[in-house]
Amino acid sequence: MKKKRIITAVVLLAVLITGAVVSYLIFLLKNDMVYKEVYIEAGADGCNAGDFLKHNVAAIQFSEDTSFELNKAGDYPVTLEWKLPIIGKLTYDSTLHVQDTVAPEATLTTDSVEMYTTGTPPTAADLVESVYDVSDCSIDYKEKYDFSTEGTFDAVIVITDSSGNESEYTVACNVLQDVTPPEISGVEQLEFAQGDAISYKKNIVVTDDIDENPTLEVDTSEVNPDKRGIYPITYIATDAAGNTTEKSTKVRIVSAKIAAATEETVNAMADEILAEIITDDMDQLQQARAVYDWVVDNITYSESAGIDDLYSAAYKGMYNRIGDCTVKQKTAEVMLNRLGIKNMEIEKIRDTRGHYWLLIDVGEGWYHYDPNLQLDGTKIFYWHDADLWEYSNSHHNTHNYDKSKYPQIQ
């Protein structure tokens, strides 16, 4: 009986000792395994449970509800779990401090700025190509800089991340004053044939007192290169300071030349016709009338069959016998030239449409000579200037012209 009591006492003592040992072991495992706080720099490659342990042990991990962001500064509660045989699961609480102590790094677009007082000032962000930091950053000038006054200064750019870390970069600035516009030279009236490649800038030179490479633009918005006519064009030169100069001229689009219409060929055609309509007893006025009647009677009017080149137009008039006012006028011009009759082209002031005719002088001064039958059947041959103006004014300005461009007309 006494022996049984001794055994029981021993077992009980062993249990008490074991319990005390286990409790002490649990106490040690609970209180001397995990750091209460862990600090890590924002942007670190990673963070694992082992970073929180004072002693290197296995099978310890974060709880499922533990979360944190390594790219975002802040204080994150962390729970770790350790499963042990016999003892069971132990949990540990800690705090992860993600801290951002590194200033942003940047690459600038340039290390110097040269601009004009009239230019648009660059923002601080305009001068920064890229920024490296784990958080969003603001980009500002350290102070307000005056880009509207001539001078040199250093502009300091401050880049600040969300944690307040700052870095500074300096850009040298040179602000120039330029109020003199560039100059354009070589602007003249142009002429191109339909289908030609038009070179508007050929022989145009733009110079500036400061800017070595001012720009040149040509406004050709009103030009129809496929349609005969005279069109306005404007040259616009601009320097780096924004000063501009404009010069305007005109481009004349003419019809393409006819390859067969050489001077020799056309004169021979004219001589053949003149041989049929001119007699030896005619004076120059009578000869001019014979030419006039041949052109009016033999060339069918067609607005779409016009041509500008003298010999090409006359060729079309004498060979194809169709054309507009220019074909008729130039056919008559070639014939009159062969007869030695003084003549010159005269042009209507262009409005919705143009018109061409001739002036002739057979020894009595200049008179109007229009080898185009008018819409009302009128023939304008050897007219005084006053008579032409009266007709033009009463027929929607058919022949109004710029008197300053021509000699006195009878």
Side-chain angles (χ1 to χ4, degrees):
M1 189 68 173
K2 183 177 181 180
K3 185 178 181 180
K4 184 176 181 181
R5 287 178 182 175
I6 292 173
I7 293 174
T8 300
V10 171
V11 172
L12 180 58
L13 179 60
V15 170
L16 291 174
I17 293 172
T18 300
V21 171
V22 171
S23 297
Y24 180 70
L25 180 59
I26 292 173
F27 174 81
L28 291 177
L29 294 177
K30 286 287 289 182
N31 293 279
D32 196 38
M33 286 296 297
V34 173
Y35 295 110
K36 293 299 183 183
E37 295 179 299
V38 172
Y39 293 84
I40 192 169
E41 185 67 29
D45 292 337
C47 178
N48 54 57
D51 295 329
F52 291 81
L53 299 180
K54 295 180 181 180
H55 310 286
N56 186 19
V57 296
I60 195 167
Q61 59 187 8
F62 293 121
S63 65
E64 292 183 358
D65 58 354
T66 293
S67 65
F68 45 80
E69 295 184 42
L70 296 181
N71 287 329
K72 184 177 181 180
D75 300 324
Y76 300 92
V78 171
T79 299
L80 297 99
E81 297 177 343
W82 187 12
K83 294 182 180 180
L84 295 172
I86 301 174
I87 296 175
K89 182 172 69 175
L90 299 178
T91 61
Y92 304 89
D93 293 322
S94 183
T95 300
L96 174 63
H97 300 285
V98 179
Q99 55 187 4
D100 183 2
T101 62
V102 179
E105 294 182 5
T107 301
L108 301 182
T109 57
T110 180
D111 57 3
S112 64
V113 170
E114 185 169 279
M115 61 170 290
Y116 294 93
T117 56
T118 54
T120 301
T123 66
D126 291 336
L127 302 177
V128 177
E129 180 177 303
S130 60
V131 175
Y132 175 76
D133 196 83
V134 296
S135 63
D136 294 333
C137 297
S138 62
I139 304 174
D140 298 290
Y141 285 123
K142 189 171 185 177
E143 58 185 270
K144 186 176 181 179
Y145 300 104
D146 185 4
F147 289 92
S148 64
T149 302
E150 188 173 26
T152 59
F153 54 89
D154 287 337
V156 179
I157 300 169
V158 180
I159 304 175
T160 308
D161 65 21
S162 58
S163 297
N165 302 301
E166 293 183 352
S167 56
E168 294 184 357
Y169 294 85
T170 300
V171 175
C173 298
N174 183 19
V175 182
L176 306 173
Q177 183 171 351
D178 180 8
V179 295
T180 304
E183 295 184 358
I184 306 174
S185 59
V187 176
E188 297 178 350
Q189 182 163 322
L190 305 176
E191 181 173 302
F192 295 94
Q194 293 168 316
D196 284 352
I198 301 179
S199 176
Y200 293 105
K201 295 184 178 180
K202 185 178 180 180
N203 299 325
I204 302 298
V205 177
V206 180
T207 57
D208 189 76
D209 60 336
I210 296 179
D211 185 1
E212 295 182 355
N213 297 293
T215 62
L216 176 66
E217 296 181 354
V218 188
D219 181 0
T220 62
S221 57
E222 296 187 46
V223 179
N224 183 346
D226 298 319
K227 183 178 180 180
R228 295 166 58 237
I230 299 175
Y231 305 97
I233 59 174
T234 301
Y235 293 90
I236 307 165
T238 306
D239 64 20
N243 302 303
T244 62
T245 297
E246 293 188 7
K247 279 193 175 182
S248 296
T249 186
K250 295 180 179 179
V251 58
R252 182 175 184 178
I253 305 299
V254 300
S255 54
K257 293 182 180 181
I258 297 174
T262 64
E263 181 178 357
E264 181 180 4
T265 298
V266 173
N267 286 338
M269 295 172 69
D271 291 343
E272 185 176 345
I273 293 172
L274 291 173
E276 297 176 358
I277 63 175
I278 302 298
T279 60
D280 294 338
D281 59 343
M282 289 181 175
D283 60 21
Q284 281 198 324
L285 183 59
Q286 290 171 324
Q287 291 175 348
R289 181 66 195 224
V291 170
Y292 181 95
D293 289 339
W294 188 92
V295 171
V296 170
D297 295 339
N298 289 277
I299 300 178
T300 302
Y301 183 83
S302 171
E303 185 131 352
S304 62
I307 199 164
D308 305 280
D309 176 65
L310 174 63
Y311 293 109
S312 296
Y315 181 92
K316 182 179 282 291
M318 290 182 285
Y319 184 81
N320 301 105
R321 303 200 176 185
I322 187 171
D324 66 356
C325 64
T326 57
V327 168
K328 288 172 172 280
Q329 167 248 310
K330 293 184 186 302
T331 300
E333 182 179 340
V334 168
M335 291 186 179
L336 294 173
N337 289 341
R338 300 300 289 170
L339 294 170
I341 298 174
K342 288 175 61 177
N343 66 88
M344 71 168 57
E345 180 183 272
I346 184 169
E347 179 183 6
K348 174 194 174 194
I349 296 174
R350 184 173 294 270
D351 42 35
T352 56
R353 59 184 299 168
H355 184 58
Y356 298 87
W357 65 100
L358 292 171
L359 297 175
I360 65 168
D361 181 359
V362 294
E364 301 174 339
W366 294 102
Y367 285 82
H368 291 284
Y369 180 98
D370 186 353
N372 290 274
L373 188 64
Q374 305 304 303
L375 294 177
D376 61 358
T378 297
K379 293 183 177 181
I380 300 175
F381 171 78
Y382 213 63
W383 274 25
H384 289 281
D385 194 49
D387 295 332
L388 183 80
W389 276 108
E390 181 180 356
Y391 179 84
S392 178
N393 292 336
S394 61
H395 289 80
H396 306 290
N397 298 320
T398 55
H399 291 75
N400 60 323
Y401 67 93
D402 184 351
K403 289 187 176 183
S404 67
K405 295 182 177 180
Y406 305 97
Q408 183 179 352
I409 302 173
Q410 302 301 314

